[in-house]
């Protein structure tokens, strides 16, 4: 009797190596990035030169998938594509100074803090307007007055 488990789906995070190359669909699944975005990131030069099969199909390595995950995480943290390009370049540059990376992250953090403050200001304004509006059958509305510059 054979006690080996039945073969399941390929776990690309484990089995993809720099010697094994996978299709764009497999790379997309393994990285959590859509195939459309994989092509977009490639077109921006974020992946470097991606190998192609004799038939012209893209072939991705574990290093490519690792880079896609790096890009995805950077996007989740709100970095711009220009910032991500610089971060990817620094990540691949083993002679980089961490101060360069910290500067990019610090500038991004300062920008986020400004945007958060602006959104908090908007929230306070809207809370005040909603509180001041009676929300009844009368036509007067401080929300519309404020939006029209009459408030």
């Amino acid at each position: 009797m054979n006690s080996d488990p039945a073969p399941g789906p390929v776990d690309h995070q484990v089995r993809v190596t720099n010697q094994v190359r996978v299709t764009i669909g497999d790379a997309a699944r393994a990285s959590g990035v859509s195939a459309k975005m994989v092509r977009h990131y490639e077109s921006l030069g974020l992946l470097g030169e991606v190998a192609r099969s004799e038939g012209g199909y893209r072939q991705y390595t574990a290093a490519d998938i690792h880079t896609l995950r790096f890009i995805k995480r950077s996007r989740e943290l709100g970095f711009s594509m220009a910032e991500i390009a610089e971060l990817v370049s620094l990540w691949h540059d083993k002679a980089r100074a961490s101060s360069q990376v910290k500067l990019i992250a610090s500038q991004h953090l300062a920008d986020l803090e400004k945007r958060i403050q602006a959104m908090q200001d908007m929230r306070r304004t809207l809370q005040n307007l909603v509180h001041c509006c009676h929300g009844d059958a009368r036509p007067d509305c401080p929300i519309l007055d404020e939006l029209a510059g009459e408030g």
Side-chain angles (χ1 to χ4, degrees), residues 2 22 41 62 66 73 80 90 106 137 148:
N2 188 352
V22 298
Y41 297 150
H66 196 172
R73 183 66 179 134
S80 70
L90 288 167
S106 296

Side-chain angles (χ1 to χ4, degrees), residues 96-115:
R96 71 184 170 265
S98 65
S99 60
Q100 295 171 287
V101 179
K102 185 174 182 175
L103 179 62
I104 295 166
S106 296
Q107 290 171 338
H108 181 61
L109 179 60
D111 180 54
L112 283 175
E113 288 171 346
K114 287 179 191 174
R115 289 171 35 203

Side-chain angles (χ1 to χ4, degrees), residues 16 18 50 83 85 91 113 125 130 135:
V16 176
N18 280 329
V50 174
E83 290 167 329
W91 181 47
E113 288 171 346
T125 299
V130 167

Side-chain angles (χ1 to χ4, degrees), residues 23-45:
T23 66
I24 193 168
D26 289 338
R29 279 186 291 282
S31 65
V33 175
S34 72
K36 179 179 179 180
M37 291 309 295
V38 172
R39 284 189 290 277
H40 177 64
Y41 297 150
E42 183 182 348
S43 75
L44 295 175

